[in-house]
Amino acid sequence: MKTPKYLVPNDYMADPAVHVFNGRLYIYPSHDWESGIEENDNGDHFDMKDYHVFSTDDIENGEITDHGVVLEVKNIPWAGRQLWDCDVACKDGKYYLYFPLKDKNDIFRIGVAISDKPEGPFIPQENPIKGSYSIDPAIFDDGDGNYYMYFGGLWGGQLQRYRNNKALECAALPEGDELALPSKIVKLSGDMLEFAEEPRDILVLDENGNRLKAGDTERRFFEASWVHKYNGKYYFSYSTGDSHLLCYAIGDNPYGPFTYQGTILTPVVGWTTHHAIAEFKGKWYLFHHDCVPSGGRTWLRSLKVVELEYDENGKIKTIEGGGQ
Ligand code: FUB
């Protein structure tokens, strides 16, 4: 599959998280809609209210099943607004959906909802995860009984409001030669409902072993963490936000440090870029979104998939996003 393909042509879906459960591929996207809220740097126009789940047994030519609404803001006890990028993990036959949502004080927290099936529906817990903040949870199952959450996002994602996992009096976004704000990683508890430790920084280093600077906007982390393993190495990938790239870094363990490698996807049509990388039936795929079908309306994004290839050294071959 060399040509990208839209997966849900009749609705606006974005921010895919993708996993293979029981031999079937499941897609967990955000659900965009026309809320009428004006676009701003705080992301208020992304006012999503529910999630759908999609699945298929043939991503190239098969039917994509829409399992319908699986969780809604109105059923989450602690909800304020804005259901952003979610992810799902499976442990001992149960499925855990992790989602960022603003609470009643307009602060992003991360919640969990549980199901017996990968396609949901998911029942939310009474409260968000203790100590959680910011957005874009991505869950990595290391296959040894340990599950890790990667999270964080700048600007509307509120990561600049925290240091050392504590809220600041005032948000502080580093600039220029200051160190870039890192994304976070935290191991999940055995019951998957809490953090098992204090979240730690994910360090992305340049080719000389130095941490990336805030002004290095084409390489530094902005949002949309994802982790996958290839040939025994850990690939940490993310969006650079205001420079609109998906890029990646490689490390030897889930905590890093990770060394920057390059661009996975050049800018798409739209502002945000967000992805998941998954292997299915012997091929690797990049799931992402763009705003071509909505005519460039940045808050109405459409899900896409394209094959992802590595070279003989394990480097990901850059894919053209089709934007500027
Ligand atoms: O969909 C809302 C936000 O836009 C996501 O949480 C970010 O990653 C960006 O795609």
Side-chain angles (χ1 to χ4, degrees), residues 11 13 29-33 47-52 68-74 83-84:
D11 205 345
M13 300 282 164
S30 306
H31 186 191
D32 287 352
W33 67 295
D47 190 27
M48 294 84 104
K49 296 185 181 317
D50 63 27
Y51 293 120
H52 285 232
V69 174
V70 299
L71 181 64
E72 291 183 85
V73 163
K74 68 174 191 220
L83 271 181
W84 284 12

Side-chain angles (χ1 to χ4, degrees), residues 45-287:
H45 47 304
F46 296 117
D47 190 27
M48 294 84 104
K49 296 185 181 317
D50 63 27
Y51 293 120
H52 285 232
V53 173
F54 298 86
S55 73
T56 185
D57 57 13
D58 178 356
I59 192 63
E60 302 219 349
N61 303 304
E63 208 176 290
I64 310 284
T65 304
D66 179 356
H67 296 279
V69 174
V70 299
L71 181 64
E72 291 183 85
V73 163
K74 68 174 191 220
N75 295 328
I76 300 170
W78 54 274
R81 61 182 181 131
Q82 296 184 290
L83 271 181
W84 284 12
D85 158 60
C86 69
D87 196 4
V88 169
C90 172
K91 184 174 183 192
D92 299 335
K94 286 220 180 296
Y95 295 83
Y96 300 86
L97 185 147
Y98 298 85
F99 58 90
L101 175 69
K102 282 182 181 160
D103 66 14
K104 296 184 196 308
N105 296 317
D106 238 17
I107 305 295
F108 267 117
R109 307 276 176 210
I110 297 172
V112 197
I114 306 173
S115 177
D116 291 330
K117 294 178 287 180
E119 68 270 26
F122 292 87
I123 309 297
Q125 296 289 103
E126 279 296 308
N127 293 297
I129 297 177
K130 221 180 310 144
S132 67
Y133 57 94
S134 199
I135 60 164
D136 288 0
I139 312 300
F140 176 68
D141 170 1
D142 205 8
D144 60 355
N146 292 312
Y147 292 76
Y148 301 90
M149 179 189 291
Y150 296 79
F151 68 92
L154 304 184
W155 297 17
Q158 302 182 346
L159 190 59
Q160 67 281 2
R161 298 185 182 188
Y162 299 85
R163 289 295 187 283
N164 302 318
N165 304 315
K166 303 263 181 307
L168 300 173
E169 280 294 323
C170 290
L173 192 59
E175 288 178 358
D177 277 342
E178 293 177 292
L179 292 177
L181 268 190
S183 63
K184 310 295 281 191
I185 176 174
V186 61
K187 191 190 278 191
L188 295 175
S189 59
D191 65 5
M192 302 292 274
L193 301 178
E194 292 188 57
F195 292 168
E197 60 186 1
E198 284 277 302
R200 308 185 203 181
D201 292 346
I202 287 289
L203 302 188
V204 178
L205 309 178
D206 66 15
E207 59 283 6
N208 301 314
N210 297 317
R211 285 183 60 181
L212 298 182
K213 305 279 171 50
D216 192 351
T217 57
E218 301 221 327
R219 298 196 295 179
R220 63 92 172 88
F221 170 81
F222 188 97
E223 63 186 2
S225 301
W226 186 257
V227 170
H228 74 280
K229 224 167 159 176
Y230 179 75
N231 281 349
K233 295 277 187 199
Y234 295 77
Y235 286 58
F236 171 65
S237 45
Y238 54 94
S239 162
T240 60
D242 52 350
S243 57
H244 316 290
L245 300 169
L246 287 179
C247 53
Y248 74 109
I250 294 181
D252 292 323
N253 71 81
Y255 290 102
F258 295 88
T259 302
Y260 179 86
Q261 302 292 321
T263 299
I264 299 172
L265 183 72
T266 63
V268 295
V269 171
W271 198 97
T272 68
T273 186
H274 194 120
H275 70 301
I277 295 170
E279 186 182 22
F280 190 50
K281 301 196 169 171
K283 288 187 182 179
W284 286 89
Y285 296 96
L286 176 74
F287 294 81

